[in-house]
Every structure is written in structure tokens, then in C-alpha cells.
Amino acid sequence: RSATMASLEAIIQTNIKPIVYALFNIISVTCIVVVNKKVFNEHHFHFPILLVLIHTLITYLGLRLTACVGLFEMKDLPLYPRLVLAASFVLYNGASLINLNVNTVGFYQISKILVTPTVMLINFAMYSESTTSDVKAAVGIMLVGVTMATVTDVDVTTVGLMIGMLAVFGAAQQQILIQRVQKKLGATSNQVLVSYTPYVAGMLAIVSPLDHMITKEESAHSGVESYMNWWNNYASTVGLATIFFSGCCGLLVSLSTFLMINATSALTYNIVGHLKTVTILSMGVLLFGDSMSTKKFMGIVFALTGVIWYSMINLRKQQQKQPEKVDAANKTPASKSVSGSTSTA
């Protein structure tokens, strides 16, 4: 009984952090979606790359401030992995923004769904990390459900398909890199974030004048001139405060993403992302009276079934590992005692 209780306590302790990080990520992502809608629609700030740049600068300054007050220690990290992670981030965000602009919402949603199997494929092809048949089946059921619940039209051109696939690869490799860089460098999420964000900011500053090319707003202005036009016609104290708050939300999204991927995996991070989508759909029906078709309902059921199955598989793995850890921990003091008595003799 004591071994069972110890195993149960170990499982609970193992899952507390991932659950907290998942909730942290869901709340921060929800906040940034709401705030960014206000930034784009109410304050006419149609500069997505510049907004990501603002997020990056606020993230860097916020983390430096927390380091200065002693909440975490800075760590000197090698340059190359930071540059790779920065370039990966810019590729992922740029491709996603272009994907949303040139493709329909339905195909954009399909591309988001395809990130999950792409993560599994990259992990297998590049790092020889395979998943069990049960995991593949659970993920497959979940993806079918999310597709049924969210996808409507899937019209796409050849160029749109290529951009969509680039966005899929960009998102997958970014998530995998976040996990591997943190583990390889032995650094915390805060340490990696604060060390690579200056390079992200520099890269975004170079490409930010291209904002007008990836927005659907028709304007005679481009580059710096478009920024001045916004400043003269739409800038306000409320608007600037909303943009700043969006940047603070960006800091929380970045931090929660790094924490969660480091505590779990890129695949689990994707699963939680799809769960978040299904939850938003369900809350829309329950709280705001959104329509619920049979197809959407069945999609939500399939998606939740896949998520629950995936969670049960992970819990089963932890239950199998915990007795081994407990036995090893119980044997360690005994072995030390034996070696100590032998040396005394």
C-alpha cells in the first residue's frame, strides 16, 4: 500500500507543473487573441510583423527586469543555437501570417491541424523518436474530430498550398527546437528566451517594412510612411496602451510555451492546443448560443475522445515507470549502508 501511495504521489507531482503550464498557456493565448482583435479592428494597427516585434522587445525587457530583481539568473549561451532559434521563430511567424492572408480560413485551419503529425514525422525522421500505435491512433482520432469541428471550406491554390506547407513545417520545427535547445543547453525557459529575443528583434526589424504585403488592408502607403500615416490618423493613448498590453500578453504566451514544451513535449503542446480549440467551440455554444451542427458535435466528441485517450496513455506510462523509481530510491540507502559497513570493517 505504501508503494502504491508513493507511486500515486509521484505521478501527481510529475503532472502538477505541466497542468499549470497548460492552463497558463491557454489563458495567455486567449487573452492575446482578444487583445489583438482590438489592436487590429478598433485601433486599425494593421502591422502584424511590427506587432510581433513589439511583443519581442517587451518580452526581452520584461525578462531582463525580472533577472535584475533576482527572480532568475542570466546564463551565457552559445551564439549558434540562439541564431537558429531566432531564425526559426521569424520563419514560423512570417509563414503563418502569409498563410492566413493568402488562404481561406478552412485551409488555414487544416494547416494548423497538420502541425501535429508533422511534429511526429520530424521527430521520427531526424531524431529516431517513434510513437506507439496507441498514441498514433489517439492523435488520429483527435485530428479527425478537430477537422470535423472546425474546417468548412478547403479551397487552395498551388501557391497557397506551398505557403501553407511552409507554415506547417515552420511551426513544427519551431516547437521541436524549443524543446531540444533548452534540454541541450541545460538552460531554463527564462534563460533561453532572454538570450535569443534580441536576435529575433533584429531580424523582425529588417522585415517589418514588408507588413503591407501580408495584410488585406488596401493602402497607398507602405513601409515607414504607413507607420506615420497610422500615427497621424489613429494613434491614441488607449490605442498605445492596448498595443503595450498586447506585448505583455505576448511575453506570457512565449514564456508559457517554452515552459510547457520543456515540461512535456512538442507533441503534447500540440494536443493541448487542439483541446483549447475544442474548448472554445464548446464554450461558444454553451455561453453565447453559437450553432451546433451534428458534424461539429461529432467532431468535438471525437476530439475529446482522442485527447482523453492520449492522456490515459501517458498516465499509464508514468504508472509503469514510478514503481521502478520507487524501488531504486528504496535500494539506494540500503546499498550505501552496506558499502559503509564494509568500509568500516
Side-chain angles (χ1 to χ4, degrees):
R1 182 179 298 178
S2 58
T4 303
M5 289 298 297
S7 177
L8 180 61
E9 289 177 2
I11 290 173
I12 293 174
Q13 291 176 356
T14 301
N15 288 282
I16 285 178
K17 282 187 177 181
I19 291 173
V20 171
Y21 295 157
L23 291 174
F24 182 19
N25 184 255
I26 290 172
I27 293 171
S28 59
V29 168
T30 303
C31 286
I32 201 171
V33 168
V34 173
V35 175
N36 281 354
K37 282 186 177 181
K38 288 184 175 292
V39 170
F40 291 132
N41 298 332
E42 295 183 15
H43 302 291
H44 307 281
F45 192 83
H46 301 291
F47 309 110
I49 296 179
L50 180 59
L51 187 61
V52 176
L53 172 57
I54 293 171
H55 288 181
T56 303
L57 292 173
I58 291 177
T59 297
Y60 177 73
L61 294 174
L63 290 173
R64 285 304 298 259
L65 179 62
T66 56
C68 288
V69 297
L71 294 182
F72 76 95
E73 293 183 0
M74 300 280 290
K75 185 175 183 179
D76 187 21
L77 302 177
L79 177 62
Y80 180 71
R82 289 187 287 167
L83 289 175
V84 170
L85 197 57
S88 167
F89 178 88
V90 174
L91 169 65
Y92 155 60
N93 276 276
S96 296
L97 291 170
I98 298 173
N99 183 30
L100 181 59
N101 183 63
V102 303
N103 287 316
T104 63
V105 175
F107 184 76
Y108 176 75
Q109 186 62 37
I110 284 286
S111 67
K112 289 177 63 179
I113 292 169
L114 288 175
V115 172
T116 303
T118 303
V119 166
M120 298 169 70
L121 182 61
I122 292 176
N123 273 329
F124 176 74
M126 297 185 65
Y127 305 106
S128 301
E129 292 184 3
S130 60
T131 53
T132 63
S133 298
D134 284 352
V135 169
K136 291 184 179 73
V139 171
I141 291 173
M142 182 205 65
L143 295 180
V144 168
V146 174
T147 303
M148 291 175 62
T150 61
V151 176
T152 52
D153 61 305
V154 290
D155 293 335
V156 63
T157 63
T158 302
V159 174
L161 177 63
M162 293 174 63
I163 293 172
M165 293 304 97
L166 179 62
V168 170
F169 175 77
Q173 56 84 32
Q174 167 70 3
Q175 294 166 12
I176 292 171
L177 275 176
I178 287 175
Q179 180 182 12
R180 295 195 167 273
V181 167
Q182 289 186 90
K183 293 186 182 302
K184 182 178 180 180
L185 299 180
T188 66
S189 300
N190 291 337
Q191 289 169 337
V192 175
L193 261 176
V194 76
S195 67
Y196 97 108
T197 44
Y199 302 101
V200 173
M203 295 177 187
L204 289 172
I206 293 173
V207 300
S208 61
L210 303 177
D211 258 327
H212 69 285
M213 296 177 60
I214 60 173
T215 59
K216 296 180 180 180
E217 290 292 313
E218 295 184 2
S219 174
H221 305 283
S222 62
V224 177
E225 186 181 0
S226 62
Y227 304 148
M228 295 305 299
N229 180 63
W230 178 85
W231 182 266
N232 294 328
N233 293 285
Y234 301 111
S236 65
T237 303
V238 175
L240 294 173
T242 306
I243 292 170
F244 176 77
F245 184 59
S246 172
C248 294
C249 291
L251 188 162
L252 299 179
V253 169
S254 296
L255 183 58
S256 63
T257 299
F258 271 69
L259 287 169
M260 186 178 170
I261 291 178
N262 189 45
T264 56
S265 67
L267 179 59
T268 299
Y269 174 76
N270 268 272
I271 301 295
V272 171
H274 294 308
L275 176 61
K276 176 177 57 189
T277 300
V278 171
T279 302
I280 291 172
L281 287 174
S282 303
M283 295 300 289
V285 173
L286 295 174
L287 299 180
F288 304 108
D290 292 350
S291 62
M292 173 65 80
S293 63
T294 303
K295 176 172 169 285
K296 183 187 288 187
F297 175 76
M298 292 304 299
I300 291 174
V301 171
F302 274 116
L304 290 177
T305 300
V307 170
I308 292 171
W309 189 6
Y310 179 81
S311 301
M312 291 175 64
I313 292 170
N314 282 338
L315 284 175
R316 197 182 310 131
K317 288 180 181 177
Q318 292 174 8
Q319 288 173 340
Q320 292 171 351
K321 290 179 180 179
Q322 289 305 326
E324 299 175 3
K325 292 182 179 179
V326 171
D327 290 342
N330 290 335
K331 289 177 181 178
T332 301
S335 61
K336 286 183 179 179
S337 175
V338 171
S339 62
S341 59
T342 302
S343 61
T344 302

